[in-house]
Amino acid sequence: AAVGAPEVISQLESAAKVLMAPPSMVSNEQRQHAEHIFLSFRKSKSPFAVCKHILETSKVDYVLFQAATAIMEAVVREWILLEKSSIESLRTFLLTYVLQRPNLQKYVREQILLAVAVIVKRGSLDKSIDCKGIFHEVSQLISSGNPTVQTLACSILTALLSEFSSSSKTSNIGLSMEFHGSCKRLFQEDDLRQIFVLTVEVLQEFSRRENLSAHMSSVFQRYLALANQVLSWNFLPPNLGRHYIAMFESSQNVTLKPTESWRETLLDTRVMDLFFKVHRKIREDSDMAQDSLQCLAQLASMHGPIFPDETAQVNYLAHLVEGLLSMINGIEIEDSEAVGISNIISNLITMFPRSNLTALPNELFTSFVNCLTHLTCSFGRSAALEEVLDKDDMVYMEAYDKLLESWLTLVQDDKHFHKGCFIQPAVQVFNSYIQCHLAAPDGTRNLTANGVASHDEDEINELQEDDRELFSDQLASIGMLGRIASDHCIPLLTSLVEDRVTRLHGQLQRHQQHLLASPGSGSVDRKVLDDLYEDIHWLILVTGYLLADDTQGETPLIPSEIMEYSIKHSTEVDINTTLQILGSPGEKASSIPGCNRTDSVIRLLSAVLRASEVESRATRANLTELLSPQMGKDIVWFLKRWAKTYLLVDEKMYSQISIPLSTAFGADTEGAQWIVGYLLEKVINNLSVWSSEPELANDTVELLVTLVERRERANIVIQCENWWNLAKQFASRSPPLHFLSSSVQRTLMKALVLGGFAHMDSDTKQQYWTEVLQPLQQRFLNVINQENFQQICQEEEVKQEIIATLEALCGIAEATQIDNVVILFNFLMDFLNNCIGLMEVYKNTPETVNLIIEVFVEVAHKQICYLGESKSMKLYEACLTLLQVYSKNNLGRKRMDVTAEEDQYQDLLLIMELLTNLLSKEFIDFSDTDEVFRGQEQGQAANRSVSAADVVLYGVNIVLPLMSQDLLKFPSLCNQYYKLITFICEIFPEKIPQLPEELFKSLMFSLELGMTSMSSEVSQLCLEALTPLAEQCAKSQETDTPLFIATRHFLKLVFDMLVLQKHNTEMTVAAGEALYTLVCLHQAEYSELVESLLSSQQDAVIYQRLADAFNKLTASSTPPTMDRKQKVAFLKSLEEFVANVGGLLCVK
């Protein structure tokens, strides 16, 4: 500050010129120099006078902006040194400055107002500065009636709001989360409400006026946006800890949960009426409409202590629904309103308890449900049009999704509503969905508004997700609505599927005759076929979602609505005819006598089986290229979903059971045996016909896994001759199975292994393993034991054989379960040792090396948790040898090109995954204590015990030298690496001091690097690793170990980080815990650090404040000991310490 103001200004202005110049005009050095000038200016001590001078005289916007920033940062930094009156006058100066200069650049004005907001915020906790004054000033500005001034008032309020609203939006002024939290709580009780009241007054004023000038309506728009900001305020509950504040504030969709003090303001019905009125007024303006609908959606989400009792809540809801209905009924909805309206409805259904909805007057509730039904159908139709026109912005689709989700919420909880009240709406929504997805004449798919058919099918995007993933939420809602109205929907789906399959059969026959009559006559017109396939695609998806739920992990049950429907009609059903329709998928259902006396659920399944049968027959008649792989995928997806739920239905799981379903699919029924045989045949047929369609093949083997993953089903499967044929065929790698992609082969292997654990007598079992696993081993050994293996190993055929074996091993590992782990482990161990030899042979073939490591990763991942001690030893030793070979082959190899670096990145990621899997043994262990092996090994085990820790530390030893700085630039690799290191320090701190010197050094270097020059996430991991290490030192009480010396070095690092450097407030806790443990270890060194810091201070005031702060910091725990209570007290003082002193030392 010794330089006079004019010099500073000219220096800053020329620096601003450099920064604002086009890149080609200035060099990098010049740019960096200019940036440095601004940075050091912002750090200068008490820059207030200079900044005021700059603001009053400089003409360069960027310099003005920097001056405002400098003021803002300095006020917080030097708060405790400033006189209260000078802070006051500074705030007044800034406000007046903005008021007097209406033509300031927007970004400069916002920055100055931000400085004002920061002053108000920092002052709000001091009580010394009266912030209420600012509201008085603002309300005067508003009542001036001058649009420019009113806009400015709005900007001031907006700046306050964003500064107080959340710790992520606040300016980075180096204060703790708790500080921001306390400010926010104070603010939301009173000041926020004042802002809202001011805003509502402005909106009322504007909504009364007839015609607004452009300037006026832009003011209107700003206040509406401000109202939206207030209603979207994330109210902090009292007493949330710091961690929770951060979590709480990161939530995306904030619902309105105001405190009790808001009752008078928000429960006043005039407020809600005002927002409905405002929306009616401005709905033509799509930008403003977004805000007004968002305000209404927030009001619709209101919940919590603001409602004194249920009556108040019901009254509020009734008023809201009335307002909503009268708003919707009188208008033709604009595109820009669809999403907003659906948000209001969705919030209202999600946030208000069912008892509130049922307490609404009957007529009102019925009108609401009718309105919801009408909107859902109409948005659904518009969404279908959007798809056809391929619009970028799918507003109706988003709105439709929201409404369907609301239906799901509403009907899932139907015990509150009188029975049957949703059947009619469900029928309407279901019908309209089906209609939009079928081709004309039954449906409206591909017909756009003006009758133009949609674009060609050829443009279908390859990368597009599958419909069943893309629309899973929609389909789940439609499936649920279909169940509610199953009397209507199941027969409807059955007749549609039967009709389409019959037409498809006819079309294919026609094509076949055409081809026979004139074999070389070229292509056929596929339009009719494609329409049929698309219809069948959607019908099967809806049927799958209607008949069964998609459950991960647990056994899915037949939905109760379907079970009740089947039971209700079972008196009209002839079981034999039903079974006949099920068992003859080759014939038309309607041609079977008495076909109307069948169980509808079974008939719907049979309709899909007919589609499957038409497909299989077409492949046998060599018409495969006329078929649709998509339909093939849909059929096996459906059969898998269906089989999980219905096949071998377990009567014990249900309170009531439908006789037709249990007769057709129960345990020990012919129906179940027939259908297992049929499904198996389907799988085998698909794998031979569709091996070139990876997704279809994948869905097909997933169906196979479903058939064998439960023992009861597997017991039937292994009685089929086809199953044995499939196993032999796969084991001999004969075509067409060896054309399948590697992931499909992996899953197929998994299925074959699972099948082997079905119930068989011991001879059969022996024979099965001989046919499935033996050939794998035999062929593998034949290849690698050839004398000239080294010479031929790179030949394509040999490589294919090796890769196929490695893929199969991964598949075998994936089939591990607690009752088969013994057999599989012994089988796999023989291979693992051979695989290590392959590492040598293929050291220059990265993808093979990768796959070998992956086999180890899979085995460790799936099996380690079941292994007892001696088995674990074997696996650890194999992993050690693998790592040694990898290390030997890769150390000192320079990776020249990028692809080599990518390969190494893959390897290292897998190795770390392997190490992490091995570590998991330390805390997930299902094994018995190998009693069986104990006796034989007692003698040897004592001498050689390799623990997971040894393997993992050795692994880290290998990984460390390979982890070049370049590789650490891959974030996922970097995070995985540091997670592993922290993990080790936390689980085995006692092993760290025993490490070989080189490894110990590189580990410590890694920790230092992670703390100082990596992302904050990594830095936090490293800090977390320090605490257990320091505790380890304290335990051993040796003061000359390398670890003790290293912790002393870390003490200085952490001390500097907390006291001298700007750091993320989230880091304070991890750093604080580390600091505390380190201070306990090295109390003398800590005192020295404090002394040397104090003695370097020239300024007496700062010296005194620092000394007081340090005394206060350690007062809570003198002398510090490793005691939890003391540690907590220390952390609490540390927060205060950082808030008070944090900014002081970062100035020049």
Side-chain angles (χ1 to χ4, degrees), residues 498 577-578 581 588-599 603:
E498 285 180 352
T577 317
T578 301
I581 280 202
K588 269 171 80 168
S590 51
S591 67
I592 291 168
C595 64
N596 293 333
R597 305 208 38 219
T598 46
D599 176 274
R603 182 154 172 189

Side-chain angles (χ1 to χ4, degrees), residues 619-770:
T619 59
R620 290 198 283 274
N622 294 327
L623 296 175
T624 311
E625 65 271 17
L626 288 177
L627 289 171
S628 146
Q630 178 64 57
M631 179 176 83
K633 267 168 60 178
D634 295 331
I635 290 173
V636 278
W637 165 83
F638 171 85
L639 293 172
K640 170 186 150 197
R641 190 176 172 111
W642 175 87
K644 273 191 167 165
T645 308
Y646 290 81
L647 188 52
L648 301 191
V649 57
D650 179 359
E651 305 190 7
K652 294 193 290 297
M653 310 286 281
Y654 301 92
S655 54
Q656 43 175 6
I657 190 105
S658 139
I659 302 296
L661 293 182
S662 66
T663 316
F665 313 124
D668 306 323
T669 57
E670 279 182 34
Q673 282 180 335
W674 176 82
I675 206 153
V676 166
Y678 185 82
L679 295 179
L680 190 56
E681 204 174 307
K682 181 75 192 170
V683 167
I684 291 169
N685 186 37
N686 272 5
L687 291 179
S688 55
V689 176
W690 295 109
S691 53
S692 58
E693 289 281 342
E695 288 180 3
L696 175 47
N698 202 37
D699 281 345
T700 303
V701 282
E702 287 296 340
L703 169 60
L704 189 63
V705 170
T706 302
L707 289 180
V708 288
E709 67 189 350
R710 283 198 29 220
R711 286 292 142 84
E712 305 81 18
R713 296 200 282 258
N715 292 340
I716 304 181
V717 173
I718 56 154
Q719 292 164 20
C720 303
E721 201 179 319
N722 271 343
W723 171 258
W724 290 74
N725 296 338
L726 177 69
K728 284 181 197 156
Q729 203 186 345
F730 184 63
S732 64
R733 296 239 167 94
S734 49
L737 292 184
H738 71 294
F739 294 134
L740 296 167
S741 72
S742 56
S743 66
V744 172
Q745 294 209 22
R746 203 182 267 205
T747 314
L748 184 49
M749 187 76 221
K750 171 182 173 181
L752 290 171
V753 172
L754 285 171
F757 292 100
H759 183 67
M760 324 179 213
D761 58 60
S762 53
D763 293 351
T764 321
K765 190 157 253 172
Q766 198 45 55
Q767 185 198 345
Y768 184 77
W769 289 128
T770 312

Side-chain angles (χ1 to χ4, degrees), residues 397-411:
M397 189 59 87
E398 191 183 331
Y400 189 46
D401 282 344
K402 266 266 184 285
L403 292 185
L404 285 178
E405 208 178 304
S406 307
W407 274 112
L408 200 53
T409 314
L410 201 55
V411 299

